[in-house]
Amino acid sequence: MRGVGGPTVRLRRLSGELTRLRREAGFGREEVARRLGVAVSTVYRIEAGHTRPQTRTIRDLLDLYGVEGSEREALVALARDATRRGWWRAYDDVLPGPYVGLEAEASSVRNYEPLLVPGLLQTEDYARAVIGAALVKDPAEIERRAAARMERQRRLTGPAPLELWAVLDEAALRRPVGGPPVMAEQLRRLREMAVQPNVTVQVLPFDAGAYLGMGNSMAILAFPDPGDADVVLLENMSGELYLEDPAEIRGYVQVFDHLRAAALGPEKSMEMIISVEKEMAGR
């Protein structure tokens, strides 16, 4: 077993190992549930990474699968580490999905946004405007969501900073979210972050016409441990969709490569950001 990452990544790895061991032992989920005296849905949730199994349940599963020695010790330790709380757990009430936990342990994020500035690059006022437009009307909840978004941005600084490659449609620059003054400040922040060595920002201009992947927000997360597969996040009005199948991930990596190729280079993108920032500041 390799060294473990953060809680969410640990849980993904644990669920994958338990699924592999069950299959190698020749058991179906129904048989495992019957032998352990639990619901089939419990076995499914453990293998899907939707729940953190208790240490006793882990030991019972490993007994059933005949896992001994160092592999057993490593899996028990992995299960124990998966219960550790990351900073984002304090925001569970406003961050219900797994994305932030995955992002917190990622080594890189490739992000395409057709309408908005990525959350990792948003100012607090811009974030409040976006959150308030998403049918969130409670001021306290808006503040907590914005605070969580600012906390996420700590990954872009400090030791081993997150590598961020963001491709934005020109619409994300020109939509005056929060009003022109807020948008001008946001574009200034975008310009400042784009010169950081771990941040690349490209803009897809309107005159590029139609392009592959147009209009579908996505993020591709990669992790420092080769044993942790990439994850693709797709967002729409129905919610979040996570993809982990290698063939699907390769397809979205190709789409992102097409987006990068169609976009302006970083220097030309910076020129456009500065130009639109001046327009917003002059309104």
Side-chain angles (χ1 to χ4, degrees), residues 89-247:
R89 296 297 175 193
Y91 294 94
D92 274 351
D93 57 324
V94 294
L95 297 174
Y99 179 79
V100 174
L102 292 170
E103 181 187 82
E105 299 304 326
S107 57
S108 70
V109 174
R110 285 164 283 183
N111 189 190
Y112 162 66
E113 292 292 345
L115 297 175
L116 298 171
V117 172
L120 285 169
L121 300 174
Q122 292 178 5
T123 65
E124 200 162 359
D125 284 341
Y126 183 97
R128 289 191 186 100
V130 172
I131 295 164
L135 302 180
V136 178
K137 301 307 177 187
D138 179 6
E141 182 177 349
I142 291 174
E143 289 302 315
R144 279 185 56 74
R145 286 179 180 267
R149 197 160 296 183
M150 297 305 102
E151 188 71 26
R152 286 171 54 197
Q153 296 178 7
R154 293 178 181 271
R155 281 301 325 277
L156 294 175
T157 58
L162 180 72
E163 297 282 340
L164 174 64
W165 196 310
V167 177
L168 291 69
D169 191 285
E170 185 177 343
L173 304 185
R174 296 194 175 278
R175 184 177 301 277
V177 174
V182 170
M183 196 64 206
E185 180 191 15
Q186 174 60 72
L187 292 170
R188 187 159 50 251
R189 166 72 66 82
L190 190 61
R191 173 167 52 84
E192 293 168 352
M193 293 303 300
V195 300
Q196 300 302 313
N198 58 310
V199 177
T200 300
V201 176
Q202 290 183 261
V203 178
L204 260 161
F206 289 149
D207 60 16
Y211 53 84
L212 183 64
M214 183 170 62
N216 298 302
S217 173
M218 72 170 175
I220 305 169
L221 292 82
F223 302 91
D225 193 312
D228 296 321
D230 292 358
V231 175
V232 172
L233 165 67
L234 304 177
E235 291 185 278
N236 55 43
M237 288 296 292
S238 300
E240 299 176 342
L241 174 64
Y242 293 87
L243 305 178
E244 299 183 61
D245 179 81

Side-chain angles (χ1 to χ4, degrees), residues 249-263:
I249 291 172
R250 284 194 297 271
Y252 279 97
V253 168
Q254 291 177 351
V255 170
F256 190 82
D257 287 342
H258 278 285
L259 292 168
R260 291 192 302 181

